[in-house]
Structure formats: structure tokens, C-alpha cells
Amino acid sequence: MIDDSPWNRYRSVPLVYRIAVGFVLGGIFGFIVGKPAAALEPLGTLFLRLLKMLVVPLIVFTLLSGVKQLTPTKLGRIGGSVVGLYLATTAIAGFLGLVVANILNPGTGVQFTGGKAQSASPPSLGEVFLNIVPTNPVAAFGNGDVLSIVFFTLVFGLGLAIARDSTESEHVRDGIKTFFEIVDGIVEGLFTVVWGVMEYGVVGVFALLATSMATHGLGAIESLAMLVAAVALGTLLQISITYLGLITMLGLGQHPIKFLRGAKDAMVTAFSIRSSTGTLPVTMQNAEDDLKIDESLYGFSLPLGATINMDGAAIRQAITAVFAANLFGVHLGLGDQVTLLVTVVLVSIGTAGVPGAGLIMLTVVLQSVSLPLTVVGFVAGVDPILGRIATMNNVTGDLAVATLAAKWNNAIDFSTGVWTDDETAGETGLAISD
């Protein structure tokens, strides 16, 4: 007998659509009710805290579960392809951002007033790479330093895998195998928790949008509409040309709609919460359940991508820098724009995948071409919507790179998931919620 209870009817609707409805209704509710809607903020904050709670455990245990299948040679091959793709897509993103900015010229003929920006010093390339290695792994875990956590966990897991395959002690070998089996069980448990958090996410996203609309309203967004439109167009071009065209159609030989079906949950979640690392639990589940990428690859590439692959940030920073130049009547020559592009790519690597980090890193980009930092005060008014657009781009790029790297390393199954010819495949939202 089929259970036709209201709860089951509710859950029969794909989770991604329920979250999208919560997003829209939350915005409408906040706009109509106004400031009293800000009382819902704790419900939204709870959703963000639940996601952040899962980030470090997921990184550690999925990496350990994936690395058990890797040899140093295979890791070097996978790591090289993943990092190379991340750098390439970020460079393309920055270039597309500059093209859009030069065509639309946001900020021309517009005057703003605003506050002062917080200044930051640009990190050197050497600092970026040295900071990957933690001097104190315990402190890295405590501070949530994702890239350092990835490095330490990867080295530790690879050491266990090598010891398992090279030791002559059966006791040691069995102990390591048992450890990895326990890790696999923990991963399954974590994904069950992800399911529960995402079910609550419908309420959380509603509260987040209601609070955002009640706090900021439409005025700040309307005053900088051209900047928002330019970033949105740059993102659309990056997704269409780079991820769907170059990677999905040419690199994978697959239809773009199939990839979008597999990435939609992560894209909606990223747009809702403005955090690449916060979206990581959903991104990993899309990779495994929908895109059918092997854990040995996505367990490495996605945590890394959530930290260093900031294509959306590259687009946003490039366009905002041109916006600032137009705002203050400064002409950016070819040399300035080349400097801007290089800075955007390097800075995006060090941009934290959390809400608000883009504003701080924008000061670095503006300093590179000697532009006034006061523009950051203007941009802060529309930071919520710019951050959502950029973050959605970031996680889409993470999944696109992981998919192509998986094909290159024979770590993906194109005979199932969203890659089948069944039009309904992948339309059930998160598979774990079925």
C-alpha cells in the first residue's frame, strides 16, 4: 500500500525545487513584512552552522576514504590534472569578466557615496603555497583552514595506504584495512546527516532570504543594477562557454543538460547560502550520486576546489575593478588590465569560500591598479547578490573540473546517473532523500 501522507507527498517533490521555492517565498516574505522578518535570522543561521559543522569531517573522512585507492603515481597524475584545470578555468573566468566589463562599462556616468574600505596586502605566490603546509595540524583543524586540512589529511592518508601495501606485518596491514573500513562507515553516516540538514535547508533558506530582504531591501541592489547585470552576464558566459561548451561537450562528449541535472542541487544551495565550503556536503553528494564520479577523485578535487577554484570570484573582481575605474574616471590601459587579470587569478586562489571574503580581497585587486578603495563601500550594498552569483559559479566549476578530471583518470561511470538517456534520471534531487 502506498503511503500518501502529507510528509511523503512533500518529500516526493525533488529537494532542489523545495529549496528554490523556499528561496523565492523567503524573499517575498521579507519584502512584504519588512524589518520584523529579520526575527527569522536564527533559523537561517542555524542552517549555515549545520553545514559548516559538516565541512571539516566530510573533508577529512572523504579524503581518507578516497586516498586508500591511490598510489603516489596516481595521485600525482590526478593532482596535476585537477590543479591545471582549476588554474585554466580561473584564467578564462577573469578574461571573460574583463571582456564583459569593457563592453558594458558599468559605473560610467554614475556617482555614489559610501564608506571607507578595509585594506589588505596582496599575498605573494610563495606565501600562497607555503600556507598550504600547516605548522600545527591541530590548529589548522581548529581554525578551519581548509587547504591545510586537505594537505595534512592527504599526506596522512597516503602514508597509511603506502604502509598497508608495503608492510610485511600482517597485524599492521589488517589494522590499516580496519581503519579504512571504519572511515567508509563514517562517510556513510555523514551523508545521512547531510540528508537531514538539507531537509531542514528548505526552512533555513527561507529564513536567510527573508532576513536578507528585510535588512537590505531593493534600494541598494537597484542603485548598482548594472554591476550586478555585468557579473551575472560574465557568470552566464563562463558556465555556458567553459563548463558546458569546452568541458561538457568537447571534453566529455556529453549533452550539457545532463551535467546541469547532476549539478543543480549544489548550484541552488551555493546561490542560497553564499559559501563554497558550506555547499561542499551537497557538492560531494552530487558528484557521487548523480555524476557518478569515483570517491578517489572527488574526495580530493572538491575540497581543494572549494578552497582554490574561485572562478566566480575572478569574474566578480575583474568586473568590479573596471566598475571602480569608470566610477572615478580612471582609464585602464592594456598593461593595467593584464596586471589586473594576473592579480585576479592569484587572489582568487587565496579567497576563502565563505560569505563576505570577496570584499576584503577586492581591496587587493584595486590596489594592484592603484584604484581608490572607497568603492568597496559602494559594492558592499550589493555584496549579498554578487556573492550568490559568484559562489554558484564556483561550485559549478568545481564539479565541471572534477568530471573532466574523472574522465581523464577513468574515475567516472557514464553508464548510469544523469549520463543515461532516461530523461527522468537525476530528477529526484538528492538520491539519499528518496
Side-chain angles (χ1 to χ4, degrees):
M1 181 176 178
I2 298 177
D3 186 354
D4 197 33
S5 65
W7 172 245
N8 279 338
R9 288 201 301 270
Y10 167 77
R11 289 194 61 216
S12 68
V13 178
L15 181 58
V16 64
Y17 300 137
R18 284 184 269 148
I19 289 178
V21 170
F23 181 89
V24 174
L25 292 181
I28 294 173
F29 181 81
F31 178 71
I32 293 176
V33 175
K35 290 188 177 181
L40 296 174
E41 183 177 7
L43 297 177
T45 302
L46 175 61
F47 178 51
L48 295 178
R49 290 178 70 91
L50 287 169
L51 284 173
K52 291 177 181 178
M53 173 189 74
L54 290 167
V55 169
V56 171
L58 272 173
I59 289 174
V60 172
F61 291 108
T62 54
L63 264 178
L64 288 174
S65 181
V67 80
K68 70 179 185 288
Q69 306 173 43
L70 295 178
T71 63
T73 301
K74 187 176 181 182
L75 177 62
R77 185 172 66 250
I78 291 177
S81 60
V82 168
V83 172
L85 283 170
Y86 281 154
L87 290 175
T89 58
T90 302
I92 294 173
F95 175 76
L96 289 175
L98 286 176
V99 170
V100 169
N102 280 278
I103 293 175
L104 296 184
N105 277 315
T108 303
V110 182
Q111 293 184 355
F112 299 94
T113 58
K116 295 182 179 179
Q118 182 176 352
S119 182
S121 300
S124 67
L125 188 59
E127 290 175 333
V128 170
F129 285 104
L130 283 177
N131 288 336
I132 295 175
V133 182
T135 56
N136 184 346
V138 176
F141 278 86
N143 296 329
D145 189 346
V146 175
L147 200 54
S148 294
I149 293 172
V150 168
F151 178 84
F152 175 78
T153 306
L154 194 60
V155 170
F156 176 63
L158 187 59
L160 286 175
I162 294 174
R164 177 199 58 199
D165 296 337
S166 61
T167 184
E168 296 180 358
S169 171
E170 185 176 347
H171 176 71
V172 172
R173 183 164 49 252
D174 290 342
I176 295 175
K177 288 181 178 179
T178 300
F179 173 80
F180 280 130
E181 289 173 355
I182 293 173
V183 167
D184 289 339
I186 293 175
V187 170
E188 290 299 317
L190 285 172
F191 277 127
T192 301
V193 177
V194 169
W195 165 77
V197 171
M198 292 311 299
E199 285 290 348
Y200 173 73
V202 179
V203 176
V205 167
F206 176 91
L208 285 171
L209 264 293
T211 302
S212 179
M213 190 60 67
T215 303
H216 299 287
L218 295 175
I221 296 177
E222 291 174 349
S223 68
L224 298 171
M226 182 57 74
L227 175 61
V228 174
V231 174
L233 178 58
T235 298
L236 179 63
L237 290 175
Q238 175 73 356
I239 292 175
S240 301
I241 296 174
T242 308
Y243 307 147
L244 302 183
L246 296 177
I247 292 181
T248 304
M249 295 181 68
L250 294 181
L252 301 176
Q254 298 288 337
H255 196 285
I257 295 299
K258 294 182 178 181
F259 172 77
L260 289 176
R261 285 209 310 262
K264 66 182 185 299
D265 297 332
M267 293 172 71
V268 170
T269 303
F271 190 83
S272 300
I273 70 173
R274 285 199 301 149
S275 172
S276 297
T277 53
T279 307
L280 193 55
V282 185
T283 312
M284 286 182 165
Q285 197 148 24
N286 276 165
E288 177 166 329
D289 294 341
D290 301 307
L291 297 172
K292 298 301 178 182
I293 301 172
D294 192 271
E295 188 178 35
S296 65
L297 193 136
Y298 81 72
F300 164 75
S301 67
L302 293 182
L304 183 66
T307 307
I308 71 168
N309 185 43
M310 298 293 166
D311 295 355
I315 293 171
R316 173 186 174 182
Q317 308 289 14
I319 292 176
T320 305
V322 175
F323 167 80
N326 290 334
L327 195 65
F328 292 99
V330 176
H331 174 69
L332 293 179
L334 179 61
D336 292 325
Q337 297 206 30
V338 170
T339 299
L340 183 60
L341 179 59
V342 173
T343 304
V344 161
V345 173
L346 292 179
V347 165
S348 68
I349 295 175
T351 301
V354 295
L359 286 178
I360 303 302
M361 301 313 295
L362 177 59
T363 66
V364 177
V365 176
L366 295 178
Q367 286 177 330
S368 72
V369 285
S370 302
L371 290 173
L373 298 182
T374 51
V375 72
V376 181
F378 308 138
V379 176
V382 291
D383 180 62
I385 187 65
L386 293 179
R388 296 183 197 282
I389 296 171
T391 306
M392 181 188 67
N393 188 316
N394 292 342
V395 301
T396 308
D398 292 346
L399 283 171
V401 166
T403 306
L404 183 55
K407 180 183 178 182
W408 288 351
N409 292 279
N410 297 315
I412 189 170
D413 184 1
F414 286 114
S415 66
T416 184
V418 296
W419 309 113
T420 64
D421 292 330
D422 184 357
E423 292 298 324
T424 63
E427 292 295 338
T428 55
L430 287 174
I432 198 170
S433 66
D434 291 342

